[in-house]
Amino acid sequence: MSKKDSSRKELRKKKSGKGKKEKRFRKKEIARMVQSIFEESPDAIYNYRQISELIGAKNDPLKMMVVAVLRDLAADGFISELDRGRYRLNIMNSIAVGIFNRRSNGKNSFTPEDGGAPIFIAERNSGHAMDGDKVKVQLFARRRKAEPEGEVIEILESRDRTFVGKLQVAKGFAFLVTESKTLANDIFIPKDKLKGGKDGDKAVVRIIEWPEDAKNPLGEVIDVLGHAGENNAEMHAILAEFGLPYSYPENVERAAKRIPETITPEEIANRDDFREVTTFTIDPRDAKDFDDALSARRLENGNWEVGVHIADVTYYVHPDTVIDKEAYSRATSIYLVDRTIPMLPERLCNQICSLRPHEEKLCYSVIFELDANADIRSSHICHTVIKSDRRFTYEEAQEVIETGEGDFKEELLALNELAKKLRDKRFENGAINFDRTEVRFEIDEKGHPLNVFFKESKEANKLIEEFMLLANRTVAEYIGRSGHANSSKTFVYRIHDLPDPEKMENFAAFIRRLGYKLKTVGSKNEISKGINSLLSTVRGKPEENLIETVAIRSMQKARYSTENIGHYGLAFLYYTHFTSPIRRYPDMMVHRLLDRYLNGGRSVLKSKYEDFCDHCSDMEQVAANAERASIKYKQVEFMSDKLGQVFDGVISGVTEWGLYVELNENKCEGMVPIRDLDDDFYEFDEKNYCLIGRRRKRQYRLGDPVTIQVAQTNLERKQLDFKLVR
């Protein structure tokens, strides 16, 4: 049935209605049908008789209503009156170009490239454009009291149209069923495009065509990941969902194998030699890529010389080689629950560049002389060769710190005392002390989660953190500090802007309801000290994780940029990333720029490096999203055998569709759908982070303690559903 036939049928259904209310509703229906007629034929000209005929308005009262609707739409600017009583859709100045945003719920939108507000695009007007496509849109004239709308008239540039899902294979064809938030339709796959995929397999599918009159797009399988539910298949599916690689290109692996592992005597002669200085690494138990080491020796004047030695990755990876291009594309290593997806080939990150004990390694280093108060007496940046004496895990180093006994106890204890003083100074200068609980899983050989535990940051972790921060800050200051000869050089900074004042006010209002106070006006230092005082007060309390989460949400995100504005969270005027080139591409850029400027080179092109910074910031966020998705998957998997069990938790999020609850025992988060709050009609109060019952005024607020029962687990959607226990 056509849209016009449907409109006529709809109108005839209403003809039997009586009373004032029905007439108002009938006019609204007529207005909707009239708008559809003009939108379907934007070049056509109509008078009231033609419109009345098209919608089946045959009696005089209905025809007079059509006349009134036409006048209203003309007054709104939706249609133009060309001459007396003749109208056409108002399409003047209504073409725009921008990015199409597709959503599986049909609430598609268009973001103009000139930076205007998003515009609603109904599914019927989307022209099979896909999420991220660059499109040309015909904007409809804005109706009174309505959001602006438009229609896709041309797809200018298509994004990569790949989707991840589960195959449903029938006799002569198949479908990919996807949980994508950007596609409501299953993808039709001909039998000859399955690439060996079987029913129930997880697969990556590329859309190759979406015929204009077809409900479903046509696709082909480009990779079969394995059977749904298998750990490898699910982890690869998460990576593919975010457009991240789950394997390494063979040509890049081959290039890495050709890199010689031996260090020539000539290269050693060109470097500062630290092979005889006490040096060690401190890393997690399961780490393989050791990209930083510390050396320590007491000087004759009683001060300590501390070397922060960083793997000299760019000695081996040259610009524009296949290894470099792949590293730039990835921009970061990715850390899922059960695996690391490295930025560099394994031969480089786990062997040649990894600062393994008892092996000579090339480093880029920052050497400090520190007195007993951890004041820097001197520092310099240099290329070095080292030979690590010991590989400590964090637990092993912590035991030496706590007992005062063990390998290299003098150096470890001295470094720990210096690190504590450096840390105190940071907080005195206004650094913010975020120390969030990190959830980790103990998993079996098949990747199934057996237990949840929480990663605790102890003195050994903080020791490494402080010296890495010091090295990063020192390198940034060397290039960027005011009055330095290199101050005009383009450089890669790690920046963190001031908090948004409105978000801080909302945060302060939220914690007031929990019985806490926060000062939101004053100097940067005063505000950050207030945040630290709050975080210290809530430490160890049930609401600690919640308040830290909301505090972090009120902050800006740190990012990379050539425009230095300082780092608010660390209270540093200059900061960069220098200490992890094995796993972060910005650190590789910093190493190369340092080399260039230390050798007297001219400044690089700022706009080019700003584009590099944007790419690295974007990829960092994508990797973080994938990491969160893997944690969410394991949380759902961990809770899947706990259906019906009861847990205490805290409301960690409030939305118009329900309450998020984080469990106290294991930090797993699930949702209580609003439809299940059936004792009242609940409305979302966004400003006050709560749901309020319309009749009984019962409130569910962010931070409220609740008791829930595990109602449902859905691994496909990575979704936990809870039910409130009253």
Side-chain angles (χ1 to χ4, degrees):
M1 185 185 291
S2 73
K3 200 179 283 185
K4 292 174 187 173
D5 291 338
S6 174
S7 298
R8 291 192 195 105
K9 190 173 178 182
E10 210 173 311
L11 187 65
R12 288 186 191 117
K13 274 185 186 175
K14 303 290 180 188
K15 280 187 177 180
S16 59
K18 292 180 182 180
K20 234 175 182 181
K21 251 187 182 177
E22 187 65 11
K23 279 190 177 181
R24 283 200 297 271
F25 182 74
R26 213 182 293 145
K27 183 177 178 182
K28 183 179 177 182
E29 285 298 306
I30 290 173
R32 189 186 61 76
M33 290 185 281
V34 171
Q35 289 162 4
S36 294
I37 288 168
F38 280 107
E39 286 172 359
E40 287 168 9
S41 306
D43 296 323
I45 299 170
Y46 298 104
N47 58 31
Y48 87 93
R49 291 189 183 87
Q50 292 166 315
I51 295 289
S52 298
E53 176 66 26
L54 285 170
I55 67 173
K58 294 183 177 178
N59 60 42
D60 286 343
L62 288 175
K63 288 179 182 177
M64 293 305 294
M65 209 174 290
V66 169
V67 171
V69 165
L70 289 169
R71 286 175 180 163
D72 287 347
L73 292 175
D76 287 349
F78 180 71
I79 55 177
S80 299
E81 189 171 15
L82 304 179
D83 47 55
R84 184 162 180 163
R86 298 173 71 243
Y87 300 91
R88 185 174 68 187
L89 185 71
N90 185 2
I91 57 173
M92 293 179 66
N93 302 320
S94 59
I95 301 293
V97 171
I99 301 300
F100 181 78
N101 309 295
R102 176 175 282 280
R103 291 294 173 264
S104 59
N105 59 9
K107 295 181 179 179
N108 306 330
S109 63
F110 163 80
T111 305
E113 63 181 3
D114 64 6
I119 292 158
F120 175 68
I121 309 287
E123 184 63 35
R124 67 179 181 277
N125 296 324
S126 294
H128 294 170
M130 302 298 291
D131 190 58
D133 285 356
K134 186 176 182 180
V135 296
K136 186 183 288 184
V137 163
Q138 172 85 60
L139 304 178
F140 302 147
R142 187 163 182 169
R143 307 167 195 170
R144 191 178 351 182
K145 295 181 181 177
E147 294 298 314
E149 289 191 40
E151 177 180 10
V152 174
I153 56 175
E154 186 180 354
I155 297 172
L156 302 175
E157 293 175 18
S158 292
R159 283 280 298 271
D160 182 34
R161 301 180 170 199
T162 58
F163 291 86
V164 181
K166 188 159 72 171
L167 291 174
Q168 286 185 352
V169 181
K171 193 173 181 182
F173 60 89
F175 281 98
L176 184 83
V177 180
T178 173
E179 296 294 343
S180 170
K181 294 177 181 177
T182 66
L183 186 67
N185 316 64
D186 297 336
I187 301 171
F188 177 82
I189 305 165
K191 199 72 177 263
D192 63 346
K193 302 288 185 184
L194 270 173
K195 204 177 179 180
K198 297 180 178 61
D199 190 59
D201 279 350
K202 274 280 172 91
V204 184
V205 168
R206 179 191 295 118
I207 291 177
I208 51 179
E209 186 186 0
W210 196 343
E212 194 171 328
D213 57 348
K215 178 184 176 184
N216 299 89
L218 182 70
E220 64 177 354
V221 174
I222 59 175
D223 201 3
V224 178
L225 303 175
H227 203 71
E230 292 176 352
N231 187 62
N232 270 347
E234 296 297 344
M235 292 300 106
H236 286 171
I238 287 170
L239 292 165
E241 179 188 342
F242 289 95
L244 296 168
Y246 44 87
S247 61
Y248 228 93
E250 288 184 13
N251 65 323
V252 182
E253 295 276 18
R254 285 195 301 270
K257 285 176 183 175
R258 291 195 293 269
I259 296 174
E261 199 165 345
T262 55
I263 304 170
T264 65
E266 291 79 14
E267 185 57 39
I268 290 176
N270 288 331
R271 293 172 175 257
D272 288 10
D273 193 341
F274 275 75
R275 288 176 294 177
E276 300 302 320
V277 182
T278 298
T279 303
F280 43 77
T281 59
I282 307 177
D283 290 281
R285 275 177 297 185
D286 55 354
K288 295 177 183 175
D289 53 345
F290 313 134
D291 54 9
D292 58 79
L294 292 177
S295 69
R297 61 180 165 188
R298 189 185 286 276
L299 301 176
E300 289 182 4
N301 60 7
N303 293 340
W304 280 90
E305 179 197 77
V306 180
V308 180
H309 304 285
I310 308 302
D312 197 349
V313 173
T314 55
Y315 174 82
Y316 299 99
V317 181
H318 301 145
D320 299 322
T321 57
V322 289
I323 298 175
D324 183 61
K325 288 175 181 176
E326 182 68 21
Y328 173 74
S329 173
R330 295 172 180 237
T332 180
S333 293
I334 304 150
Y335 298 90
L336 302 189
V337 165
D338 67 334
R339 69 194 64 201
T340 298
I341 316 303
M343 181 181 77
L344 294 169
E346 189 173 322
R347 176 169 162 78
L348 280 169
C349 64
N350 291 354
Q351 295 178 41
I352 295 176
C353 294
S354 185
L355 307 183
R356 302 189 297 190
H358 315 302
E359 296 179 10
E360 294 181 350
K361 297 290 180 178
L362 301 181
C363 290
Y364 215 159
S365 307
V366 188
I367 313 299
F368 301 95
E369 182 184 340
L370 297 168
D371 65 19
N373 293 319
D375 292 325
I376 300 169
R377 294 304 180 189
S378 67
S379 67
H380 66 280
I381 302 165
C382 57
H383 288 284
T384 59
V385 58
I386 71 163
K387 189 174 182 181
S388 174
D389 297 290
R390 172 78 147 82
R391 184 257 158 136
F392 284 100
T393 65
Y394 280 120
E395 291 80 8
E396 290 168 341
Q398 185 64 31
E399 187 176 353
V400 175
I401 290 169
E402 289 177 2
T403 64
E405 296 298 331
D407 293 346
F408 308 111
K409 62 182 181 182
E410 183 187 3
E411 289 86 354
L412 264 175
L413 293 172
L415 289 175
N416 188 52
E417 287 305 310
L418 291 169
K420 286 196 286 190
K421 288 170 182 173
L422 289 169
R423 188 174 176 84
D424 290 343
K425 288 177 185 178
R426 272 201 305 119
F427 294 142
E428 283 170 19
N429 290 333
I432 298 174
N433 186 15
F434 285 121
D435 196 12
R436 292 204 65 209
T437 301
E438 289 187 52
V439 178
R440 291 287 185 267
F441 290 90
E442 180 188 333
I443 56 177
D444 64 18
E445 65 280 357
K446 292 183 179 178
H448 183 75
L450 301 174
N451 193 22
V452 177
F453 64 94
F454 307 120
K455 181 183 170 185
E456 189 179 354
S457 184
K458 295 188 176 180
E459 287 177 289
N461 305 76
K462 293 170 182 176
L463 183 161
I464 292 296
E465 179 186 30
E466 285 310 317
F467 284 107
M468 297 308 118
L469 291 174
L470 183 62
N472 286 332
R473 188 188 82 192
T474 302
V475 167
E477 285 177 345
Y478 175 78
I479 299 299
R481 67 187 172 202
S482 177
H484 193 279
N486 288 323
S487 60
S488 63
K489 305 279 189 180
T490 296
F491 200 56
V492 172
Y493 295 98
R494 180 70 169 175
I495 63 170
H496 185 219
D497 209 347
L498 298 172
D500 179 86
E502 186 178 348
K503 285 185 177 179
M504 285 300 292
E505 282 297 335
N506 291 340
F507 175 52
F510 163 63
I511 63 167
R512 273 198 296 274
R513 292 192 292 272
L514 299 175
Y516 300 101
K517 290 183 180 180
L518 178 67
K519 184 178 181 181
T520 60
V521 293
S523 68
K524 287 194 297 184
N525 203 324
E526 288 172 330
I527 293 171
S528 57
K529 281 186 175 179
I531 295 172
N532 282 339
S533 175
L534 169 69
L535 297 176
S536 177
T537 303
V538 300
R539 195 140 292 142
K541 296 183 179 178
E543 61 269 26
E544 175 188 358
N545 212 39
L546 173 70
I547 287 178
E548 285 211 353
T549 300
V550 180
I552 289 169
R553 287 176 190 166
S554 69
M555 299 284 158
Q556 306 278 14
K557 280 189 171 65
R559 58 190 174 88
Y560 299 104
S561 179
T562 59
E563 291 286 347
N564 181 47
I565 59 169
H567 196 293
Y568 173 75
L570 295 173
F572 290 161
L573 294 176
Y574 301 93
Y575 191 64
T576 190
H577 274 170
F578 166 81
T579 54
S580 294
I582 286 178
R583 63 183 180 90
R584 292 187 305 225
Y585 195 82
D587 302 57
M588 288 176 62
M589 290 196 286
V590 165
H591 283 214
R592 287 174 180 154
L593 291 173
L594 263 179
D595 267 348
R596 182 186 183 97
Y597 299 152
L598 285 169
N599 291 320
R602 296 174 62 185
S603 181
V604 294
L605 187 64
K606 191 175 183 118
S607 59
K608 177 182 174 182
Y609 271 77
E610 189 62 28
D611 289 342
F612 292 167
C613 288
D614 288 343
H615 167 72
C616 291
S617 297
D618 291 343
M619 291 305 295
E620 176 186 36
Q621 189 58 52
V622 172
N625 292 340
E627 289 161 21
R628 278 194 290 270
S630 80
I631 292 169
K632 188 68 182 174
Y633 183 89
K634 289 300 172 190
Q635 286 180 334
V636 176
E637 191 178 5
F638 179 69
M639 297 296 292
S640 60
D641 62 352
K642 297 171 179 58
L643 290 175
Q645 292 187 25
V646 174
F647 295 88
D648 289 328
V650 63
I651 295 175
S652 55
V654 183
T655 69
E656 59 190 323
W657 53 86
L659 303 169
Y660 286 98
V661 176
E662 183 184 85
L663 305 185
N664 298 338
E665 182 180 313
N666 52 37
K667 304 300 179 190
C668 292
E669 187 180 59
M671 168 172 273
V672 179
I674 197 167
R675 65 177 178 272
D676 291 349
L677 301 176
D678 53 9
D679 63 324
D680 203 341
F681 182 84
Y682 284 89
E683 295 174 323
F684 176 44
D685 182 346
E686 185 175 9
K687 187 176 180 182
N688 292 303
Y689 301 95
C690 67
L691 292 178
I692 304 175
R694 186 181 287 176
R695 287 181 289 109
R696 300 179 183 175
K697 303 302 178 187
R698 180 171 184 171
Q699 297 184 11
Y700 292 103
R701 291 184 177 275
L702 194 67
D704 282 353
V706 290
T707 302
I708 61 89
Q709 185 179 49
V710 182
Q712 188 176 337
T713 61
N714 187 323
L715 276 170
E716 288 288 323
R717 295 184 180 181
K718 307 177 193 71
Q719 187 173 304
L720 271 174
D721 280 352
F722 294 155
K723 181 180 177 182
L724 282 179
V725 177
R726 303 209 181 276

